Amino acid sequence: ITIGPIRVQRQEAAATAAAAVRAQLHNGHSNMSDTCGSKVIEFYQDSVVLITGASGFLGKVLLEKLLRCLEARKIYVLIRRKRDYSAQMRLEQILKSMLFDRVRNETKAAKALFDKIEAVEVNFERDDLGLEPALRDRLRQEVEVAFNLLASVNFNEALDQALETNVECTRRVLNLLSGARRIKSVIHVSTFYSNCNRTLIEEKIYDDIGFGGYDNIKSTFAKLQDDHKQFLSPVVLGTFPNSYTFSKKCAEVVVRDKFGHLPIGIFRPPIVTSSYREPVPGWVDNFNGPSGMVVPLSQGLYSAALLDPKKKPFIVPVDFCVNALLVCAYDVSKSSVTKSIPVYNYTDDCNLWTWDQVINGFFSGLGPIRKLVAKYFTGTITVNPVRYAICKRIMMFQAFCLDLIRTFTGKEKIKAAAGDGARMQRLFSKMVTLSEVLRFFCLNDWKMTNANIRRISDEMSPLEAELFPLDIRKIDWTEYYRNFVPGVIKYAVQPRSPRSPSIAERKLKESKVRETKKLNSGLFYLLWSSVFIIALKIFKNLFNKV
């Protein structure tokens, strides 16, 4: 009789404790260890963390969560120099972004938190990572927890280049960590699709690479010329859709064969999209995956996608993914010596939406007029390659018309003089290319096991579940997709400048605003509605049964 009330009391107590912890987190983490009682937070208390890939989408959110919610003593961020930007300059640009506003605005002594981060400039192409011996020894002496998020997500990359970035660079980072004296946990971030040539993906490492294994492929490609590599690559890839997924599979095998002595686990996220709750709903900074699909629709423009509306994609919000990463690192640390490397498939086949439901969810985040236009006129979903080929032509014709309007308004001439002509055509061409490389994942679905993820979720206390929500089954997808398009517009299409703009930049921005107003004027919309949308309606009627 008393079980129900007791459970309610415990849940209320956990919620109260979580609120107290969050208040302490926002006020500078004072005396957290005395009131928290979370084993996950205690694990990161006064720890030294190393992150690779912190300049990426997932890495930025991981860094923000570590700063805002955990009390790490030091965070080393391994960043390569990019053109004229040093590692420190790139880190400063990351920390100035909107993503870190909560750290700045809600946390006392925010500067002290940012000072915990140290940018380490590295050259991942060198075996020693380009580190000075003293710095290398310091990292090995101090680092306790490491997250390897380093990866190239260019699906069209040449196979040898993908193997270099996703396998060899990972090997060099793990070689560094092999000498770490205080290492407690290492998480290598792979992808759920590293074994997408299978219909059932379990939480284990598959070593069926073929061709004598990764080392043989590596040595063979090292002896070939570029044209021979290009000829041999499709044979090596076999049923894999691209070099990215194959290289991530090879990296998992290398982790198992070369670094099984480390306290290491492999984390496999699927399609990672905008945030659900933290630090703000809908945050995203790129146009990869579904984000790129919704941009034209959000602007009242035509967009087409080659996907099967009946298939169910594995999609996870980035903040839930980061929470799972943090908890998995703690789980790995509980047993420093394991018989096999734990693999975490961060997916779940419960509460999944079909692509058709996902697209309709995107529509719900549009305004009433644009929602109507997108649903019945400017949005096309098809599994037919012939129909999609025609849709691509329409999209590119649309881009041509937009560039033509820019020319009439005098903007395209200025851009052309600056080497930025035909901007919309290049933008739409990039979007079409992105859609085509994702077609394999949009036309197929998979079965999976996720016993490890469910286990760590079940083992979490109510307090930890409140602080590190990771159970995908509890996501309100209706709310999530309603915030998806507004988030893309706010944070990716119209992001705030991370620094005070110069006079020239302000003038350029004002010019872009005036241009946008012209493109979205009533006259333009009337012309678009009366000519292009009618043509689309006729097109959709003609091919409705194709």
Side-chain angles (χ1 to χ4, degrees):
I1 296 175
T2 60
I3 290 178
I6 291 175
R7 182 180 297 141
V8 172
Q9 291 174 2
R10 288 178 177 173
Q11 291 175 346
E12 291 176 349
T16 302
V21 171
R22 283 196 298 271
Q24 291 181 352
L25 293 172
H26 294 163
N27 291 316
H29 313 287
S30 60
N31 296 324
M32 183 194 308
S33 59
D34 296 337
T35 60
C36 180
S38 164
K39 293 181 179 179
V40 177
I41 288 184
E42 290 174 2
F43 171 68
Y44 290 98
Q45 185 94 19
D46 201 36
S47 63
V48 178
V49 181
L50 181 144
I51 304 175
T52 67
S55 61
F57 177 49
L58 184 61
K60 292 175 184 176
V61 181
L62 173 62
L63 182 60
E64 193 274 344
K65 180 78 174 187
L66 279 167
L67 283 179
R68 180 169 50 86
C69 296
L70 296 169
E71 220 177 10
R73 175 163 53 92
K74 187 80 174 179
I75 302 175
Y76 288 106
V77 178
L78 272 58
I79 308 180
R80 71 180 83 199
R81 171 180 287 271
K82 193 172 184 179
R83 293 187 291 273
D84 295 331
Y85 291 89
S86 66
Q88 182 61 35
M89 294 170 64
R90 293 185 66 193
L91 175 62
E92 291 174 358
Q93 288 296 104
I94 292 171
L95 297 179
K96 288 178 182 178
S97 68
M98 298 176 70
L99 176 65
F100 293 87
D101 281 353
R102 280 189 65 180
V103 178
R104 275 186 290 269
N105 300 333
E106 299 181 5
T107 308
K108 291 183 179 179
K111 184 179 183 302
L113 290 180
F114 288 130
D115 287 343
K116 291 182 178 182
I117 309 173
E118 180 176 336
V120 178
E121 189 165 306
V122 294
N123 183 349
F124 290 109
E125 296 178 357
R126 292 180 53 176
D127 285 339
D128 62 356
L129 299 178
L131 299 173
E132 294 293 333
L135 178 55
R136 187 179 185 89
D137 290 341
R138 178 154 62 95
L139 293 175
R140 285 180 163 174
Q141 179 65 36
E142 297 181 8
V143 172
E144 299 170 281
V145 184
F147 296 93
N148 180 43
L149 283 68
L150 172 69
S152 169
V153 294
N154 181 1
F155 288 1
N156 289 327
E157 195 169 31
L159 179 57
D160 58 327
Q161 295 175 357
L163 293 174
E164 169 63 25
T165 302
N166 295 331
V167 183
E168 289 304 303
C169 291
T170 290
R171 180 182 60 79
R172 294 170 188 133
V173 171
L174 295 182
N175 275 336
L176 170 67
L177 296 173
S178 293
R181 300 168 181 83
R182 303 173 60 190
I183 196 71
K184 298 177 182 177
S185 178
V186 180
I187 292 292
H188 168 69
V189 178
S190 183
T191 173
F192 175 73
Y193 301 105
S194 59
N195 296 281
C196 60
N197 58 329
R198 295 174 173 270
T199 57
L200 172 64
I201 302 176
E202 300 178 273
E203 289 182 313
K204 65 179 184 179
I205 300 173
Y206 298 92
D207 59 358
D208 53 336
I209 295 177
F211 294 93
Y214 167 71
D215 289 335
N216 186 58
I217 295 174
K218 174 188 171 184
S219 60
T220 300
F221 268 69
K223 303 172 184 176
L224 299 177
Q225 297 179 354
D226 289 343
D227 55 342
H228 295 160
K229 293 177 184 178
Q230 186 175 1
F231 175 79
L232 186 60
S233 292
V235 180
V236 175
L237 291 178
T239 55
F240 279 87
N242 51 57
S243 59
Y244 169 73
T245 53
F246 180 78
S247 62
K248 297 298 277 186
K249 176 187 181 70
C250 293
E252 291 186 4
V253 175
V254 169
V255 168
R256 184 201 63 184
D257 294 344
K258 307 293 185 182
F259 303 100
H261 59 281
L262 286 171
I264 191 169
I266 294 176
F267 184 79
R268 292 176 178 163
I271 301 172
V272 182
T273 52
S274 59
S275 60
Y276 180 48
R277 299 287 190 204
E278 298 181 86
V280 290
W283 184 85
V284 65
D285 69 345
N286 61 75
F287 301 117
N288 297 331
S291 300
M293 296 180 183
V294 303
V295 173
L297 298 177
S298 68
Q299 304 301 311
L301 303 176
Y302 179 70
S303 179
L306 182 63
L307 54 83
D308 188 340
K310 297 180 181 179
K311 301 296 185 182
K312 295 182 178 182
F314 289 113
I315 293 176
V316 296
V318 64
D319 50 334
F320 268 51
C321 191
V322 162
N323 290 331
L325 258 178
L326 293 168
V327 178
C328 285
Y330 164 69
D331 186 64
V332 169
S333 73
K334 291 191 298 184
S335 178
S336 59
V337 179
T338 57
K339 295 181 179 179
S340 61
I341 295 176
V343 178
Y344 304 91
N345 282 344
Y346 187 53
T347 53
D348 206 293
D349 52 9
C350 294
N351 196 26
L352 280 181
W353 280 25
T354 63
W355 273 116
D356 186 54
Q357 292 174 306
V358 171
I359 299 299
N360 284 320
F362 292 156
F363 291 159
S364 67
L366 299 171
I369 296 179
R370 285 185 175 174
K371 176 181 177 181
L372 181 67
V373 171
K375 190 170 184 179
Y376 295 103
F377 297 103
T378 59
T380 297
I381 300 173
T382 180
V383 296
N384 190 295
V386 176
R387 183 183 180 189
Y388 180 70
I390 299 175
C391 294
K392 287 195 299 182
R393 295 288 185 182
I394 296 176
M395 292 177 67
M396 295 310 299
F397 175 71
Q398 170 184 243
F400 171 78
C401 292
L402 292 174
D403 281 331
L404 193 63
I405 294 174
R406 286 160 55 87
T407 301
F408 288 152
T409 59
K411 303 299 180 182
E412 191 65 27
K413 294 179 181 179
I414 298 175
K415 294 290 184 179
D420 191 28
R423 180 181 180 184
M424 298 305 295
Q425 293 180 66
R426 290 200 308 276
L427 176 62
F428 273 80
S429 177
K430 183 177 180 179
M431 292 171 54
V432 167
T433 301
L434 179 62
S435 177
E436 290 180 344
V437 299
L438 293 176
R439 70 165 62 189
F440 180 83
F441 309 101
C442 296
L443 297 174
N444 297 282
D445 54 13
W446 291 264
K447 295 180 180 180
M448 40 66 64
T449 61
N450 63 343
N452 284 335
I453 288 293
R454 291 202 175 188
R455 174 180 55 79
I456 65 172
S457 178
D458 293 340
E459 290 176 354
M460 294 173 69
S461 67
L463 172 62
E464 289 171 336
E466 176 78 12
L467 295 175
F468 304 98
L470 58 84
D471 193 341
I472 306 171
R473 297 168 294 180
K474 297 181 180 179
I475 294 176
D476 183 348
W477 291 109
T478 301
E479 176 190 357
Y480 176 73
Y481 287 121
R482 189 187 305 120
N483 294 326
F484 190 89
V485 174
V488 173
I489 300 304
K490 182 176 181 179
Y491 300 111
V493 176
Q494 301 172 345
R496 183 196 67 197
S497 176
R499 56 183 174 82
S500 299
S502 64
I503 296 176
E505 289 172 330
R506 284 199 298 269
K507 289 183 177 180
L508 179 60
K509 182 177 180 180
E510 291 172 359
S511 175
K512 289 183 177 181
V513 170
R514 289 194 298 269
E515 178 185 351
T516 302
K517 288 181 178 179
K518 288 182 180 180
L519 291 177
N520 290 284
S521 64
L523 178 60
F524 172 72
Y525 193 78
L526 177 62
L527 290 172
W528 194 264
S529 301
S530 60
V531 178
F532 194 77
I533 293 182
I534 292 176
L536 288 176
K537 186 64 177 178
I538 296 173
F539 166 76
K540 294 188 77 171
N541 289 335
L542 288 174
F543 290 90
N544 189 43
K545 297 182 179 180
V546 176

